[in-house]
Amino acid sequence: VCPHPVGHQDGHRDDAAAGKLARVVASSQYLSDHLEDAGLILFAFGAPGDEASVFPAMWSACLAARALGLGSVFTRILVRDACEEVERLLGADDPAWRLQGVLPIGRPLGRWGVAPRPAPTEACFHERWGGPVTWPAPPDSWWQHDVTGVGQ
């Protein structure tokens, strides 16, 4: 539960933010209901209490899947709801390793294309937050190029 209403912290409701949150919630519920339909499920194991140790590898797998036109999402829902059962089913009985997350990968449903990105000049700063970059800016829209053809 969010500590304040969707939108602004002053309590004013932001319809765009509420709509986005509703889509995220619906998407999360769909994943929960259809996890077994994924073409591949990667189970990430790491040292107990060191959840972040698997994040770089899982992020790399997400990027690789995206480059192939596949959808993926790193989730800890099974860690939260069924960690011991999943470990038992997988035969992971070494206490030095614990389930840290799950990465389902599969063909995406609905719209799929180039993810929206801000221009580098809007997201990169030099020396301090908001400081203009001192290197030449790349040509417009180079960061939005779809090398896979998936979004076309």
Side-chain angles (χ1 to χ4, degrees):
V1 175
C2 295
H4 54 80
V6 173
H8 305 286
Q9 289 187 2
D10 64 6
H12 289 93
R13 190 169 143 223
D14 182 335
D15 289 336
K20 186 174 184 176
L21 179 61
R23 288 188 301 278
V24 168
V25 169
S27 179
S28 298
Q29 186 61 54
Y30 184 89
L31 173 63
S32 179
D33 294 342
H34 297 274
L35 184 64
E36 70 277 4
D37 297 336
L40 172 70
I41 301 175
L42 296 178
F43 295 89
F45 283 80
D50 191 15
E51 299 84 6
S53 67
V54 301
F55 291 176
M58 294 296 97
W59 182 244
S60 292
C62 287
L63 292 175
R66 179 72 186 220
L68 295 172
L70 299 171
S72 64
V73 62
F74 182 67
T75 179
R76 290 182 42 84
I77 193 164
L78 291 178
V79 175
R80 185 192 73 198
D81 295 346
C83 187
E84 290 79 17
E85 182 180 359
V86 170
E87 290 176 347
R88 183 183 54 75
L89 289 170
L90 295 175
D93 56 2
D94 185 340
W97 297 93
R98 294 300 313 258
L99 180 67
Q100 303 295 356
V102 177
L103 183 73
I105 300 174
R107 298 262 176 233
L109 300 174
R111 284 185 318 154
W112 188 252
V114 177
R117 304 267 191 260
T121 53
E122 296 174 25
C124 298
F125 306 112
H126 184 69
E127 296 293 332
R128 62 181 170 77
W129 189 264
V133 296
T134 58
W135 55 88
D140 284 345
S141 75
W142 71 270
W143 65 94
Q144 295 177 340
H145 180 65
D146 183 1
V147 296
T148 67
V150 172
Q152 299 173 357

